[in-house]
């Protein structure tokens, strides 16, 4: 990344902060930022938009915990899970639950590019590699 | 009874099953053995990456938005969107005595159909070379069995000696001869029961070679019964560039195992110019900036870090060694091209082979003027050193005089004598492939030359005379040969015996 891009990166980081409400990306704010950007007709608009797209995508991904589970999860468990994950990542998270019988038993949690596999399928896959 | 069962069940319930934490990413683009991956925010430089289908890769470019990664093996089944996983480990290959006699690919998987390799240890392919403290100077010879090399360009254990020359000038042959000679010496040394004998194991790394050539080499080593002391690592021309790039490092890792376990090993990189080309291709696809001849900026470091791993360790560190014989192919004898100059400057000397000499029938086609060994003379056996005398100087003077002698016919007696001696030495140094000569026989032959026993032999019959003397040494001269082999010095007593033996031979020789 050259010097110019580094400056743009700082600018995009500020844009990302402006797009959040309570630490979560807000659709309305993103739309507003986009409109202002396009109207400004700035010189390196394309690069800025590309960097902005990447940052927003990364932010949304790391702010979402995708939880696959086999069997039912009670509301109390869900709350416990949310509290544990949020304290671990130190930020508010949106939880997406999905039932996946292929896991056989247990849960698999993906937050951004981190995956915590606590399922029988994962354990078996691990065993098969030994 | 039931209480015991209950207790066990309770213990099982108490067992905590740990969850697997991993850092994953997605392939966003894949082409020519290189993948660009999104995610993998925790990946380390050079870390091993796991791809679907059991494939592995290495993270080489860590950028802000993505990771550039080379993949070892067949990538045809991978596609965009596939999930990949970081492993937290550096890429390692199997190492140990179990690999001897085997042919493996760049990742250490057997390719010779002799079943799995039961290696007990793994060694990282990228490792920092030994520092200053554990090293010591080269002081033990590597006998190549090739007369001109052992006498004029001696190689020591732990040295890096480059073999450089155009295509088809006999570079690989020198390496094969050396490996065969090691096998013969190992066989003899291990059979003798000498506790101080240190076998020298060979590792041959074939990079970008034709599979037919590798098959021929394996057969040659098998026929010479040398394969059992050799590991062959092959990344043939059909392999992807990543495999060709990593193969020498995999070989170095296997060699380092020997060195760090107090053993001696010899590694042949055949050849590093093809590895540099593979690395250039990889780097260009990874969009790294290119420099001279389109090679990336770190191509010097690629070879220097590889060759620095060859060393001689001191006694406190086991006293092992790793000798390297890198091979470089030049284009039209141009040793001032980028890669040749790099590797010449890294190594401790070079054996330069010339096409002209090869075509004149002087084989091995070693150019005496351009070949040098910077550290090997301190490792040369005393007997051979004494017998060699000033042979290199005489030969260099001969080459100069021979060029002059073409113009004039009137030569003084001294010049004529020098020319005669020179042309005899040139003939004497001709040696057929796959026929290494032992140190004691080399000493005997060179002593005979230095003491004028060959002076009246016709130049065109020098090879015949040399063979005849070799046979004589193997027959009635075997006692003195054994003495030289064990004492490794030319004492007055040995010289006396040698004189008698050579004189007996001389009486039987008819011009």
């Amino acid at each position: 990344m050259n010097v110019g891009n580094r400056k743009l990166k700082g600018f995009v980081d500020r844009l990302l902060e402006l797009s959040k409400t309570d630490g979560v990306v807000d659709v309305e704010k993103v739309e507003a930022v986009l409109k202002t950007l396009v109207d400004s007709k700035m010189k390196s608009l394309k690069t800025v938009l590309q960097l902005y797209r990447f940052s927003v995508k990364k932010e949304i991904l790391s702010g979402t915990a995708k939880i696959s589970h086999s069997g039912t999860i009670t509301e109390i468990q869900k709350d416990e899970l949310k509290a544990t994950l949020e304290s671990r990542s130190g930020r508010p998270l949106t939880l997406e639950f999905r039932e996946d019988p292929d896991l056989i038993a247990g849960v698999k949690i993906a937050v951004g590019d981190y995956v915590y596999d606590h399922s029988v399928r994962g354990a078996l896959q691990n065993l098969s590699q030994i | 009874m039931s209480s015991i069962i209950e207790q066990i069940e309770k213990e099982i319930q108490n067992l905590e099953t740990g969850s697997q934490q991993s850092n994953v990413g997605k392939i966003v683009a894949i082409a020519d053995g290189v993948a660009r991956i999104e995610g993998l925010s925790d990946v380390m430089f050079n870390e091993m990456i796991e791809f679907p289908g059991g494939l592995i890769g290495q993270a080489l470019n860590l950028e802000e938005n993505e990771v550039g990664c080379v993949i070892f093996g067949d990538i045809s089944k991978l596609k965009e969107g596939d999930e990949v996983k970081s492993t937290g480990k550096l890429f390692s290959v199997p190492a140990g005595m179990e690999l001897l006699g085997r042919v493996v690919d760049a990742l250490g998987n057997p390719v010779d159909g002799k079943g799995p390799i039961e290696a007990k240890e793994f060694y990282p392919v990228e490792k920092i070379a030994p520092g200053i403290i554990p090293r010591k100077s080269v002081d033990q010879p590597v006998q190549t069995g090739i007369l001109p090399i052992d006498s004029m360009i001696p190689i020591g254990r732990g040295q890096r000696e480059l073999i450089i020359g155009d295509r088809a000038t006999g570079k690989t042959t020198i390496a094969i001869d050396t490996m065969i000679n090691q096998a013969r010496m190992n066989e003899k040394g291990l059979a003798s029961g000498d506790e101080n004998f240190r076998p020298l194991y060979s590792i041959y790394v074939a990079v970008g070679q034709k599979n037919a050539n590798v098959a021929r080499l394996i057969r040659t080593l098998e026929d010479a019964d040398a394969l059992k002391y050799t590991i062959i690592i092959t990344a043939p021309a059909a392999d992807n560039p990543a495999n060709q790039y990593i193969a020498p490092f995999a070989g170095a890792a296997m060699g380092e195992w020997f060195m760090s376990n107090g053993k001696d090993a010899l590694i042949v990189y055949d050849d590093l110019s093809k590895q540099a080309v593979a690395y250039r291709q990889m780097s260009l696809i990874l969009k790294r900036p290119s420099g001279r001849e389109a090679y990336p900026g770190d191509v010097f470091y690629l070879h220097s870090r590889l060759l620095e791993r060859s060393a001689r360790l001191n006694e406190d560190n086991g006293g092992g060694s790793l000798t390297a014989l890198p091979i470089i192919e030049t284009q039209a004898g141009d040793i001032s091209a980028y890669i040749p100059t790099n590797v010449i400057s890294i190594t401790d000397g070079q054996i330069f082979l010339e096409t002209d000499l090869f075509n004149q029938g002087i084989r091995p086609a070693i150019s005496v003027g351009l070949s040098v060994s910077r550290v090997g003379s301190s490792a040369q056996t005393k007997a051979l050193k004494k017998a060699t005398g000033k042979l290199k100087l005489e030969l260099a003077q001969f080459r100069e005089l021979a060029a002059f002698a073409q113009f004039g016919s009137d030569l003084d007696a001294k010049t004529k004598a020098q020319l005669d001696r020179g042309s005899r030495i040139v003939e004497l140094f001709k040696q057929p492939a796959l026929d290494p000569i032992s140190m004691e026989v080399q000493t005997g032959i060179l002593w005979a030359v230095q003491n004028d026993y060959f002076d009246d032999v016709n130049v065109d019959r020098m090879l015949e005379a040399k063979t005849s003397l070799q046979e004589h040494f193997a027959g009635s001269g075997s006692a003195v040969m054994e003495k030289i082999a064990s004492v490794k010095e030319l004492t007055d007593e040995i010289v006396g015996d040698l004189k008698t033996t050579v004189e007996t031979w001389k009486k039987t020789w008819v011009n």
Side-chain angles (χ1 to χ4, degrees), chain A residues 1 9 51 53-54 57-58 61 88 108 112-118 122 126 129, chain B residues 17-25 38-42 50 64-66 83 85:
Chain A
M1 190 176 273
K9 184 77 186 39
L51 288 171
R53 180 193 71 98
F54 179 79
K57 193 178 164 189
K58 199 174 165 189
L61 276 176
R88 260 196 181 211
K108 189 178 169 184
D113 55 2
Y114 292 96
V115 174
Y116 307 92
D117 195 343
H118 197 88
N126 245 1
Q129 280 175 359
Chain B
T17 47
S19 66
Q20 286 290 319
Q21 188 190 335
S22 52
N23 191 229
V24 297
E38 214 175 67
L40 289 179
S41 53
D42 259 5
E50 230 176 75
E64 184 147 13
N65 302 350
E66 56 187 20
E83 195 177 89
K85 215 161 82 175

Side-chain angles (χ1 to χ4, degrees), chain B residues 292-303:
Chain B
R292 185 175 159 191
E293 291 177 30
Y295 286 104
D298 64 341
V299 75
F300 183 91
Y301 180 55
L302 172 80
H303 289 149

